[in-house]
Amino acid sequence: MLDQQPKHSLFIFRNHLTDDFIESLLDDYVYNGIKVYLFTMDSLKEYEDWDEWKEAKKRKLFGWWKVPYQTDYQGASVSFIDGKVTNQQIYDYVCHHTDFPSKLYEAEHSPANQHLIISAGAGTGKTTWMIERFLFLKHMGMEDLFFHSAFITFTHQAAIKIRQRIIQRFRDYYEVTYQPIYLKWIDEVKHLHISTLSAFVETLFEKAGIHQPIPVTEKLRSFRKRKKELMFEAIREYTQVSPEAFRPFTKTPRENLVELLLKMNELLECQYLGSLFHVKLHFGNDQVGFAPLAKFVLKYVHQHLETEKKELKQWEIQDVVRYLERMVVMKRLKKKWNLRYLLIDEFQDVSPVQVDFLFRLQLATQCTLTITGDAKQSMYRFHGTEYTSFSALKKRLIQQGESVTTIHFTKNYRNTPRLVQQLNTLVMKWGNQLASFPASIYDQLQSMRPIGNKNKGIVFGPFAMGYAESENQAFRQLLEQLRGTDTAILVRFDYQIQEVIKQCEQLGFFCERSRLGNFYRSLPVREMYILVRFLLFPENPSFAYALHRSSYGVNTLSNDQLIEQFEPDQKVILSLLEKQPDFIYWRQMQELAQRKPIFSILRMIIKDLSPHEVYSQRFLTRMKTIHPNRDIQDFVKEARARRMEYQMGVEKLFYLLRKHFSKSAATLYGMERVLRKYMETDDQEMLDPLSTEYTGHRFHVMTIQQAKENEFDHVILPYTYDPLVSDSRTVVFLHKENEEWRLNYRFLLSSLLVRNTYFMEREPQEMKEILGEEARLLYIALTRVRKQVFVHAIEENKRSNLPNTWMDLLKMGE
Ligand SMILES: Nc1ncnc2c1ncn2[C@@H]1O[C@H](COP(=O)(O)OP(=O)(O)OP(=O)(O)O)[C@@H](O)[C@H]1O
């Protein structure tokens, strides 16, 4: 039908449609994996209901638009192959008169070797577009694209999602075309590097390494625990070498000092400044002499760590970056990995040193960069991120003679028209009034979602817990109204997650929280630990009582009974436990544990006692007692979910323990030690989430950072009155002055506000930065929602002049 066969897409304008034409569109193109965009002035009614059309549209391989009649184009018939627009007039006409996403189309079909920066607001389809762009490159014939490309995003979870989405797209193609090539591509996706920037750096290191065959995982460490230990050690030494200087801190818990110093150290590490700090880093002065203490400790940690790393032949990620940045290494890397495409999502969260690294990498490998992000969503300032990362990279590429195209998408596919309208007003005001909220005319978005009158965008109301009874009631009603829908409660700080979960449960509603890294602190692990300790120390009354109260025990004794009969030698606990119905069973188990393999004993106990059942039943009974008048439907669902989670937790723990003891004998003693160690230190392991069949009744609860890669039908923001700028918040940041770094800090020491000289100089500027940062976080929260966002608001009499709460920021939109 056409002189040249498209490889990826066909944009076709036809005045008059015939059945033959339509069939050939499907047979010749869509069923061969070509995306077709059809525009016509003819009627589409008789085709739109065809199942084949609907299916191809659902799989994003076919789209059609009715264009208003225009005499000039009556006999016109044009086709644009793989994005090459050969009739600008008709192209402009159809784009103007339809909702065709022309910007996305043009960007997707840009020349394969063009560096692209897509800088656009939330919900404009950047991540979705990046995947389509990748499909374009693949269809255009880069056979080994998977081996020569890397996708970078900000979190491990986001990387997993991108891989799933690419596979899903190939699956879509396969479902429409039945061509085996898509199955082959699905299989090949495993070769595509998709990861966070740190994991990408590790891979580069492995590829460029001269130190092989040592696996990179054994060479790279975070030394997190070791740094903490070294800090305690350094403080101890400081108290001896400078006891006078330490005097102001003698009453401060060492843990607090270490926490603050770890924060400072992390900042330096984010700038990869570790090895340079004694040359270029200044600490200023303060009224209590914290500066010399900080300098001493950080230097001590750094020096000791350097020596230890050399001895152990181990590296930290920042050492690797410095190593890789050397041109000679980069060149060797290029020989080992011909990296041709580097695609980076969420670029606003890339720090200046990382920008520098990526620039050098591009220079050495000559790879083509595709970058997407939104400066208004930059949220890791405490990691040294600047919202200026786009312009910094672009400037350096241009200076190097590279050509870079920047594109702004302005159509929003996520939020309702009402919400987009409200956001446009807020963004404009924040852009005008807050120095570090980067907004431009491209941030005035247009919602592509249908106008519905039910969905109101931002809704203000007394939706919060634990305040006045009227608020509790409004909050309860809201939860009741949103029960079973896709709703997230978003908070600013980690500790607020626990608060929300607790308060929702008091009202009889349940939450699904992010599971990242909390496996070893979950109930099945804690209770297994209690069981192991009990078996190991049979005569210890505290362990016996803890077991009795756990899901393994009969829980017939109460704390009150214990207090009543309390005696200091604790023997009374054992004698009370002896009278409980499961006493003989536990004696037998303790005795067996001395003789039999520990895994088989634990398995036997679980089989005998079904702790998951016990836990779930006790939970249900408690809920029914606390809320006697409530419909128990949700309680039953929650009990079922908890039973499943408990069971999965036990199975996972068995798997991990078996893995741990695969090369050594498992003893009770060894198991107690291993469990204790992991419970104290592991913050990586997570329990796999349950399917929505189990958790559909739960509300999601998470911080805004955790919510970044998600979207929900509804969002609740219960904390909107916390002061953004307050003395109780520790502030630590770095800034550069004449090529030298300065550490700025402010924190509360007992009731004394400690500020160093640099901080005082920059305080006004810093307060503006904080406001900008908070507005950016709030922007992310508001844009995670498809329909409505419920914001805690109360009647206020007086308003402050300067914005200092999220509510103040929100009121700027009125
Ligand atoms: N061309 C499109 N047509 C219809 N819906 C789209 C299109 N592109 C994206 N979407 C939908 O819009 C929503 C937002 O898309 P996406 O997450 O890619 O946006 P984003 O710009 O990366 O968002 P953010 O910056 O907030 O992370 C998703 O639900 C996605 O499925």
Side-chain angles (χ1 to χ4, degrees):
M1 183 173 155
L2 294 167
D3 299 341
Q4 188 197 339
Q5 276 305 304
K7 291 179 178 169
H8 177 66
S9 79
L10 176 66
F11 179 118
I12 194 157
F13 176 88
R14 233 344 140 83
N15 176 22
H16 181 59
L17 302 182
T18 62
D19 286 355
D20 284 351
F21 168 77
I22 292 296
E23 269 174 31
S24 89
L25 265 192
L26 292 175
D27 292 342
D28 297 343
Y29 301 108
V30 176
Y31 295 158
N32 280 314
I34 305 299
K35 268 202 246 185
V36 171
Y37 309 99
L38 170 65
F39 298 85
T40 182
M41 302 194 289
D42 204 351
S43 166
L44 285 159
K45 274 212 172 68
E46 68 179 287
Y47 306 110
E48 278 177 324
D49 285 337
W50 282 14
D51 287 343
E52 293 87 340
W53 276 43
K54 284 199 226 158
E55 178 65 10
K57 185 174 189 172
K58 192 176 108 199
R59 307 271 176 190
K60 292 203 261 175
L61 259 103
F62 190 24
W64 57 88
W65 287 263
K66 171 101 171 71
V67 186
Y69 187 76
Q70 159 69 268
T71 13
D72 294 352
Y73 304 136
Q74 203 181 7
S77 165
V78 296
S79 312
F80 306 149
I81 292 171
D82 297 326
K84 284 191 191 63
V85 175
T86 47
N87 186 328
Q88 194 64 40
Q89 221 180 359
I90 289 190
Y91 179 71
D92 290 343
Y93 180 75
V94 300
C95 291
H96 185 72
H97 288 93
T98 64
D99 64 1
F100 176 64
S102 54
K103 280 271 172 54
L104 274 75
Y105 170 79
E106 289 157 28
E108 180 179 319
H109 293 84
S110 300
N113 59 356
Q114 176 69 54
H115 297 304
L116 294 174
I117 294 183
I118 310 294
S119 161
T124 50
K126 296 181 292 298
T127 308
T128 311
W129 170 85
M130 202 173 221
I131 291 165
E132 297 303 308
R133 168 72 175 166
F134 189 71
L135 263 51
F136 166 79
L137 295 173
K138 186 71 195 147
H139 279 111
M140 291 311 282
M142 256 216 68
E143 254 312 295
D144 43 7
L145 183 71
F146 297 113
F147 295 90
H148 298 295
S149 310
F151 252 96
I152 310 296
T153 184
F154 210 73
T155 62
H156 180 59
Q157 288 307 99
I160 293 173
K161 273 196 189 165
I162 289 184
R163 190 178 300 280
Q164 286 167 343
R165 286 177 73 175
I166 294 175
I167 291 174
Q168 181 56 47
R169 286 302 285 135
F170 287 143
R171 204 167 278 150
D172 286 340
Y173 273 78
Y174 179 73
E175 291 295 331
V176 173
T177 65
Y178 290 112
Q179 296 202 0
I181 186 75
Y182 293 108
L183 297 179
K184 183 169 169 265
W185 288 359
I186 288 175
D187 187 47
E188 282 179 10
V189 173
K190 62 175 179 278
H191 299 296
L192 176 62
H193 182 98
I194 310 177
S195 75
T196 60
L197 191 49
S198 306
F200 176 60
V201 167
E202 285 176 26
T203 305
L204 293 176
F205 182 47
E206 197 159 33
K207 287 193 190 277
I210 40 174
H211 306 279
Q212 282 162 7
I214 304 170
V216 72
T217 40
E218 283 177 30
K219 293 179 69 62
L220 264 174
R221 270 183 57 190
S222 76
F223 290 91
R224 212 173 310 151
K225 203 166 159 230
R226 183 68 191 129
K227 281 174 202 161
K228 209 168 168 180
E229 285 166 6
L230 283 170
M231 285 199 176
F232 279 107
E233 221 174 276
I235 294 175
R236 236 183 350 261
E237 185 145 330
Y238 190 75
T239 58
Q240 282 158 15
V241 291
S242 312
E244 267 315 301
F246 191 73
R247 199 169 299 281
F249 310 102
T250 42
K251 293 211 176 97
T252 313
R254 299 270 165 100
E255 189 67 42
N256 295 2
L257 287 176
V258 167
E259 201 181 308
L260 181 62
L261 289 159
L262 278 171
K263 215 174 190 165
M264 292 178 169
N265 192 50
E266 202 184 322
L267 263 184
L268 301 185
E269 285 175 355
C270 289
Q271 299 293 349
Y272 307 145
L273 286 182
S275 68
L276 301 177
F277 84 93
H278 52 283
V279 189
K280 290 187 173 173
L281 179 68
H282 302 285
F283 289 73
N285 293 308
D286 60 70
Q287 71 273 40
V288 287
F290 184 74
L293 170 65
K295 192 170 179 176
F296 180 90
V297 173
L298 295 177
K299 204 165 176 173
Y300 181 99
V301 171
H302 171 71
Q303 283 169 348
H304 280 72
L305 213 58
E306 284 296 289
T307 318
E308 287 182 22
K309 282 192 289 191
K310 272 199 190 105
E311 278 167 10
L312 295 167
K313 292 202 172 56
Q314 287 180 327
W315 304 50
E316 282 187 277
I317 193 85
Q318 60 267 29
D319 305 323
V320 174
V321 171
R322 274 200 301 272
Y323 166 76
L324 286 174
E325 273 184 350
R326 289 155 48 193
M327 225 13 169
V328 50
V329 180
M330 285 272 186
K331 287 208 171 117
R332 191 169 61 235
L333 177 69
K334 182 166 170 51
K335 282 195 199 129
K336 298 258 176 82
W337 188 11
N338 182 11
L339 184 67
R340 295 191 42 197
Y341 293 98
L342 184 55
L343 302 100
I344 310 172
D345 198 12
E346 310 290 0
F347 194 73
Q348 70 280 356
D349 289 320
V350 172
S351 71
V353 269
Q354 291 169 335
V355 168
D356 192 46
F357 172 73
L358 291 168
F359 168 72
R360 284 165 200 254
L361 182 69
Q362 193 287 322
L363 202 62
T365 59
Q366 289 298 298
C367 64
T368 303
L369 294 173
T370 304
I371 282 165
T372 58
D374 178 9
K376 301 186 303 307
Q377 297 186 60
S378 166
M379 60 174 169
Y380 288 96
R381 195 166 157 257
F382 60 95
H383 279 175
T385 300
E386 299 276 351
Y387 49 86
T388 49
S389 53
F390 292 94
S391 49
L393 182 68
K394 186 172 177 178
K395 197 168 139 203
R396 297 194 67 176
L397 286 170
I398 289 173
Q399 276 169 354
Q400 204 56 40
E402 299 282 332
S403 124
V404 184
T405 303
T406 304
I407 299 169
H408 303 279
F409 298 157
T410 51
K411 288 178 177 166
N412 170 297
Y413 297 96
R414 182 184 292 141
N415 317 118
T416 57
R418 173 77 186 122
L419 185 57
V420 169
Q421 187 194 7
Q422 289 169 316
L423 287 167
N424 283 345
T425 311
L426 277 173
V427 164
M428 194 174 63
K429 296 222 167 145
W430 291 344
N432 288 340
Q433 295 179 36
L434 307 176
S436 52
F437 188 84
S440 74
I441 47 158
Y442 301 114
D443 291 309
Q444 293 298 300
L445 304 182
Q446 178 198 355
S447 171
M448 302 308 287
R449 300 208 27 202
I451 302 171
N453 50 11
K454 266 182 24 214
N455 297 314
K456 297 185 189 122
I458 305 174
V459 183
F460 294 97
F463 313 119
M465 306 137 284
Y467 296 88
E469 184 43 37
S470 60
E471 287 177 301
N472 269 329
Q473 198 162 339
F475 190 64
R476 190 182 301 125
Q477 276 168 3
L478 180 64
L479 294 184
E480 190 65 54
Q481 178 196 328
L482 298 177
R483 215 176 102 220
T485 63
D486 178 22
T487 299
I489 304 174
L490 299 187
V491 298
R492 173 75 177 80
F493 300 107
D494 274 335
Y495 74 87
Q496 291 168 332
I497 292 183
Q498 214 38 52
E499 249 174 55
V500 168
I501 293 177
K502 209 169 124 204
Q503 287 169 332
C504 284
E505 281 193 19
Q506 274 169 9
L507 299 174
F509 299 93
F510 306 99
C511 298
E512 172 80 1
R513 59 168 298 169
S514 156
R515 289 154 193 276
L516 278 179
N518 62 7
F519 175 68
Y520 280 104
R521 274 160 289 285
S522 65
L523 191 71
V525 178
R526 287 192 326 247
E527 294 201 330
M528 179 79 82
Y529 181 61
I530 290 174
L531 172 60
V532 167
R533 279 213 303 187
F534 166 77
L535 294 174
L536 188 60
F537 302 104
E539 301 308 323
N540 185 308
S542 312
F543 299 167
Y545 185 61
L547 184 76
H548 174 81
R549 299 278 288 170
S550 78
S551 311
Y552 291 95
V554 284
N555 194 24
T556 37
L557 273 177
S558 69
N559 283 341
D560 291 346
Q561 279 170 284
L562 221 63
I563 292 165
E564 245 170 53
Q565 312 209 13
F566 179 76
E567 277 178 28
D569 71 358
Q570 294 200 345
K571 287 241 171 63
V572 66
I573 301 182
L574 288 178
S575 67
L576 278 173
L577 287 171
E578 275 171 25
K579 292 179 201 137
Q580 307 311 311
D582 54 352
F583 177 74
I584 295 180
Y585 176 82
W586 286 119
R587 272 281 167 264
Q588 282 169 356
M589 290 305 114
Q590 282 177 330
E591 196 263 320
L592 276 180
Q594 306 300 319
R595 296 188 279 114
K596 290 212 159 198
I598 180 61
F599 276 117
S600 63
I601 298 290
L602 294 177
R603 273 280 178 219
M604 189 164 82
I605 293 175
I606 286 164
K607 192 159 169 267
D608 288 347
L609 303 179
S610 303
H612 50 283
E613 282 297 347
V614 174
Y615 168 59
S616 153
Q617 278 308 323
R618 282 183 193 162
F619 167 81
L620 189 58
T621 313
R622 197 172 73 240
M623 280 298 135
K624 284 184 195 164
T625 318
I626 301 172
H627 304 281
N629 302 323
R630 277 279 301 275
D631 174 5
I632 64 160
Q633 205 187 350
D634 271 7
F635 302 158
V636 173
K637 284 186 194 160
E638 183 62 19
R640 193 170 143 246
R642 288 184 182 215
R643 188 182 57 210
M644 185 50 111
E645 276 168 344
Y646 196 110
Q647 211 168 359
M648 280 168 55
V650 168
E651 287 312 317
K652 182 171 176 120
L653 187 59
F654 267 114
Y655 165 76
L656 292 170
L657 288 171
R658 279 210 180 277
K659 207 164 107 186
H660 184 91
F661 289 106
S662 60
K663 290 190 188 130
S664 58
T667 59
L668 254 182
Y669 176 72
M671 198 169 277
E672 194 276 341
R673 249 188 27 192
V674 167
L675 276 174
R676 181 155 38 87
K677 183 180 127 201
Y678 284 132
M679 286 165 74
E680 275 169 15
T681 57
D682 185 283
D683 55 4
Q684 298 300 313
E685 206 59 63
M686 61 184 236
L687 187 63
D688 297 332
L690 290 181
S691 68
T692 45
E693 181 206 336
Y694 283 95
T695 58
H697 64 289
R698 286 181 179 170
F699 292 93
H700 302 275
V701 51
M702 58 186 88
T703 62
I704 294 168
Q705 274 97 350
Q706 289 164 344
K708 174 68 185 84
E709 67 238 21
N710 296 303
E711 55 185 39
F712 311 92
D713 278 346
H714 311 279
V715 160
I716 304 173
L717 292 181
Y719 299 99
T720 44
Y721 288 92
D722 289 349
L724 306 179
V725 178
S726 115
D727 288 348
S728 62
R729 275 201 201 174
T730 299
V731 182
V732 183
F733 64 97
L734 278 168
H735 86 271
K736 217 176 185 177
E737 195 92 17
N738 303 326
E739 291 308 304
E740 302 205 346
W741 290 92
R742 291 176 171 189
L743 186 69
N744 302 249
Y745 55 82
R746 180 198 68 190
F747 61 92
L748 268 181
L749 183 74
S750 305
S751 54
L752 182 68
L753 189 65
V754 180
R755 294 179 299 171
N756 74 344
T757 38
Y758 296 143
F759 181 89
M760 286 191 281
E761 270 172 37
R762 289 190 66 81
E763 189 164 7
Q765 172 65 20
E766 179 57 16
M767 294 307 116
K768 285 183 191 159
E769 291 286 344
I770 290 176
L771 281 184
E773 186 185 11
E774 293 293 334
R776 297 198 298 270
L777 266 179
L778 187 51
Y779 175 75
I780 297 171
L782 296 172
T783 53
R784 294 313 91 193
V785 64
R786 295 188 200 97
K787 296 177 180 170
Q788 272 176 301
V789 50
F790 299 88
V791 173
H792 176 224
I794 46 174
E795 290 291 328
E796 289 167 285
N797 299 327
K798 70 175 175 58
R799 304 211 45 78
S800 57
N801 292 334
L802 276 177
N804 195 29
T805 61
W806 278 2
M807 186 48 67
D808 294 338
L809 289 171
L810 285 163
K811 293 274 164 158
M812 284 164 74
E814 287 181 353

